[in-house]
Amino acid sequence: MQNRILITGGAGFIGSALIRYLIQETDTVVINYDKLTYAGNLNAVADVAGSSRYHFIQADICDREAFKAALDEYQPTHIMHLAAESHVDRSIDGPGDFIHTNITGTYELLEASRAYYESLSDEARAVFRFHHISTDEVYGDLGETGLFTEETPYAPSSPYSASKASSDHLVRAWRRTFKLPVVITNCSNNYGPFQFPEKLIPLVTLNALEGKPLPVYGDGSQIRDWLYVDDHARALYPVLTEGKVGETYNIGGFNEKKNIDVVRTICDTLNDLVKDKPEGITDFKQLITFVTDRAGHDVRYAIDASKIYKELGWKPLETFETGIRKTIKWYLANAKLVF
Ligand SMILES: NC(=O)c1ccc[n+]([C@@H]2O[C@H](COP(=O)([O-])OP(=O)(O)OC[C@H]3O[C@@H](n4cnc5c(N)ncnc54)[C@H](O)[C@@H]3O)[C@@H](O)[C@H]2O)c1
């Protein structure tokens, strides 16, 4: 049977990479359900939007009736939930949208999905999954050693990560209490094409090209574990179709980098690729500017992805070095597509 996957947040950075992968590499029908907030960008799915297997609905995950109507109309075999408010700094400036979208929105989806699941035939129920896409930030600050496993206790630090942790708990509760067949993934920091330029890598790349300061929080010693977005998209599909119901899978590339080293790598790559540098710039590293640290900033995240490696045979294709060069080349050619 052909899969029909309803994807929330499919106009976002990761959701759009997932949709491009599903349309280009599988025979799946995709229903992109997205409100198009400031972070939604239909340019990111333009290459596949002409496919007869692609459908788009502009609607809010907090609107249960709209979601129910989408389920009734498209009868999805699977749901992948990526819609969220996703930027930590915005969650510090205004947590309300994060509580509403990430927690209430997930609750509305779970309730509508539960009613839908209960209406399905036995055959359709056997296939149906609700896949909740989450972040490694739910595990909190790691300290200098160790890795996050699927058993690491939750200890979120920011309003963003606390709202994602809450949504993960709701999803597990709907499994335990209502037997909704769920899978959860917690992934490390993603980078790649079509990321909104408020996040570190596109922000630094695009600021550098304009000769603007490259802001680095604190002393830049915070460590993140970076994964190329297409590798994340390729990991999600086997979790959805082959992962065990009720299980969590951590996704990461064993690619720990200090923020300051990421910024220096971007500068060195731009030094190499950009012939016409902004006036007065001989080395983009001149633009690095240390700014007051983010409140509550976690020092280190790092994922132990051995479960998905072993059980589902997934491995990233990109190293940080190949992925960052691809990403910077993409922004050099396509910056106008992300605004
Ligand atoms: N970016 C990362 O590094 C990362 C890492 C791990 C997990 N995640 C998770 O992956 C998911 C996708 O992240 P992203 O970086 O692509 O986010 P994003 O901010 O780029 O995209 C979010 C998308 O959700 C849509 N959206 C927001 N509120 C909505 C609502 N109420 N109803 C319907 N659509 C709504 C937006 O329009 C946008 O298209 C999120 O759940 C995030 O927590 C992100």
Side-chain angles (χ1 to χ4, degrees):
M1 190 174 67
Q2 190 178 32
N3 287 332
R4 285 187 306 280
I5 306 180
L6 191 153
I7 295 172
T8 72
F13 166 51
I14 300 170
S16 63
L18 174 65
I19 289 176
R20 295 192 302 272
Y21 168 77
L22 290 173
I23 296 288
Q24 287 165 349
E25 307 290 334
T26 76
D27 68 350
T28 299
V29 173
V30 169
I31 303 104
N32 178 5
Y33 184 103
D34 197 298
K35 182 180 171 183
L36 297 184
T37 67
Y38 80 94
N41 179 0
L42 291 178
N43 289 331
V45 287
D47 281 355
V48 295
S51 166
S52 60
R53 292 184 284 114
Y54 173 81
H55 306 274
F56 175 63
I57 302 168
Q58 184 172 2
D60 192 330
I61 58 167
C62 300
D63 182 345
R64 196 187 306 180
E65 287 310 310
F67 193 70
K68 192 174 167 302
L71 296 176
D72 289 345
E73 182 176 355
Y74 289 100
Q75 297 285 306
T77 53
H78 303 75
I79 295 169
M80 299 178 86
H81 174 33
L82 293 93
E85 289 293 336
S86 70
H87 189 46
V88 176
D89 288 345
R90 284 180 190 254
S91 84
I92 295 168
D93 294 342
D97 285 349
F98 288 71
I99 304 304
H100 187 60
T101 295
N102 299 357
I103 305 177
T104 308
T106 301
Y107 159 70
E108 296 294 353
L109 293 190
L110 286 167
E111 278 297 79
S113 303
R114 175 162 78 100
Y116 173 70
Y117 173 68
E118 286 169 1
S119 75
L120 294 175
S121 66
D122 288 350
E123 196 193 354
R125 279 187 195 206
V127 173
F128 182 84
R129 299 285 181 275
F130 183 100
H131 181 168
H132 180 61
I133 283 79
S134 192
T135 164
D136 62 354
E137 301 195 25
V138 298
Y139 299 122
D141 203 352
L142 193 53
E144 281 176 18
T145 56
L147 296 172
F148 297 134
T149 73
E150 287 79 1
E151 274 72 49
T152 301
Y154 278 26
S157 304
S158 70
Y160 163 66
S161 54
S163 69
K164 290 296 292 186
S166 305
S167 65
D168 294 9
H169 289 318
L170 291 176
V171 172
R172 287 198 183 90
W174 260 244
R175 165 72 193 146
R176 169 101 184 196
T177 308
F178 303 115
K179 308 279 181 277
L180 189 70
V182 308
V183 282
I184 298 177
T185 46
N186 294 86
C187 188
S188 60
N189 274 42
N190 284 215
Y191 67 99
F194 289 109
Q195 190 167 30
F196 193 74
E198 62 190 357
K199 305 269 168 66
L200 181 70
I201 288 176
L203 177 78
V204 165
T205 306
L206 296 175
N207 274 13
L209 293 175
E210 291 184 28
K212 289 183 184 164
L214 311 180
V216 174
Y217 280 130
D219 61 0
S221 62
Q222 307 85 359
I223 294 174
R224 300 293 179 261
D225 183 354
W226 293 94
L227 185 69
Y228 190 66
V229 68
D230 291 351
D231 279 326
H232 188 188
R234 283 193 315 102
L236 294 174
Y237 192 58
V239 172
L240 179 79
T241 53
E242 298 162 42
K244 286 197 202 110
V245 171
E247 293 281 312
T248 296
Y249 296 86
N250 281 351
I251 305 175
F254 294 102
N255 253 325
E256 287 183 55
K257 302 278 171 205
K258 282 187 185 163
N259 283 351
I260 185 65
D261 292 335
V262 169
V263 174
R264 288 196 182 115
T265 302
I266 296 170
C267 291
D268 288 337
T269 311
L270 287 172
N271 284 339
D272 186 28
L273 293 175
V274 177
K275 297 293 161 248
D276 294 324
K277 298 189 176 48
E279 211 180 313
I281 305 297
T282 49
D283 179 342
F284 284 105
K285 293 198 281 293
Q286 286 167 243
L287 295 168
I288 293 175
T289 309
F290 294 96
V291 298
T292 310
D293 207 353
R294 170 192 277 168
H297 209 171
D298 289 334
V299 175
R300 178 169 169 259
Y301 305 138
I303 282 268
D304 178 352
S306 50
K307 178 175 173 181
I308 189 171
Y309 278 46
K310 279 192 210 128
E311 292 188 16
L312 299 175
W314 170 87
K315 271 200 179 77
L317 296 178
E318 301 292 342
T319 62
F320 186 72
E321 288 64 33
T322 60
I324 196 75
R325 200 168 174 88
K326 259 189 180 177
T327 303
I328 292 169
K329 280 186 166 175
W330 187 88
Y331 277 96
L332 288 175
N334 297 292
K336 63 181 183 308
L337 296 180
V338 290
F339 292 105

